[in-house]
Amino acid sequence: MTAAPDIQTFPRQVRLLTGADYQRVFDNAGRQRGRHLTLLYRPAVGEQARLGLAIGKRHVRRACDRNRIKRIVREAFRQQRMDLPAVDMIVLARGSAVTAERRALRAEIDRLLDRLQ
């Protein structure tokens, strides 16, 4: 089996990894709100977009629901990351995201990412 091209992966350099990375975005972030998701963003330190996920138990109780939301957001980011400006972003979920269909969540994250361009 061959490896996926680099643009189709989600490597470490496009993720927010440390608490300091997350805190930097939370401290002074722009905000895009959707019905189920909120996107916080700030100009990146590097030259490419980076993604962090903060899907808390407070809003999304079951682990399987949190993981489903994270998979959808990561996939949308992965497919659009080459077109995104150099920003660090964090995606937060509201409680309504639990009952939202996959297509609705995907359409919403696509809209939020499009607004950044």
Side-chain angles (χ1 to χ4, degrees):
M1 194 148 93
T2 61
D6 190 40
I7 61 171
Q8 293 181 355
T9 62
F10 190 57
R12 286 182 66 86
Q13 63 263 23
V14 298
R15 298 184 225 163
L16 296 180
L17 298 172
T18 66
D21 290 340
Y22 278 84
Q23 195 59 50
R24 183 179 168 279
V25 176
F26 279 123
D27 283 343
N28 190 14
R31 185 178 315 253
Q32 296 286 340
R33 287 194 175 119
R35 184 173 184 183
H36 308 294
L37 302 170
T38 300
L39 178 70
L40 305 175
Y41 61 93
R42 182 176 177 163
V45 175
E47 63 279 344
Q48 59 186 344
R50 297 191 308 165
L51 175 68
L53 299 165
I55 313 298
K57 285 184 189 179
R58 180 178 179 189
H59 299 292
V60 184
R61 303 292 287 169
R62 295 182 344 174
C64 61
D65 293 329
R66 290 192 302 274
N67 291 336
R68 179 180 69 93
I69 293 165
K70 289 189 271 189
R71 276 194 309 272
I72 293 166
V73 172
R74 279 193 301 259
E75 179 67 9
F77 176 80
R78 184 186 67 76
Q79 290 181 350
Q80 293 189 29
R81 78 178 170 100
M82 299 309 280
D83 299 327
L84 294 171
V87 294
D88 290 342
M89 63 186 86
I90 298 173
V91 176
L92 307 167
R94 295 185 183 170
S96 63
V98 173
T99 57
E101 292 184 13
R102 188 195 73 71
R103 287 183 184 161
L105 287 174
R106 178 59 193 261
E108 183 168 318
I109 190 64
D110 285 342
R111 277 194 307 274
L112 293 173
L113 293 174
D114 285 343
R115 288 187 208 167
L116 292 177
Q117 296 175 12

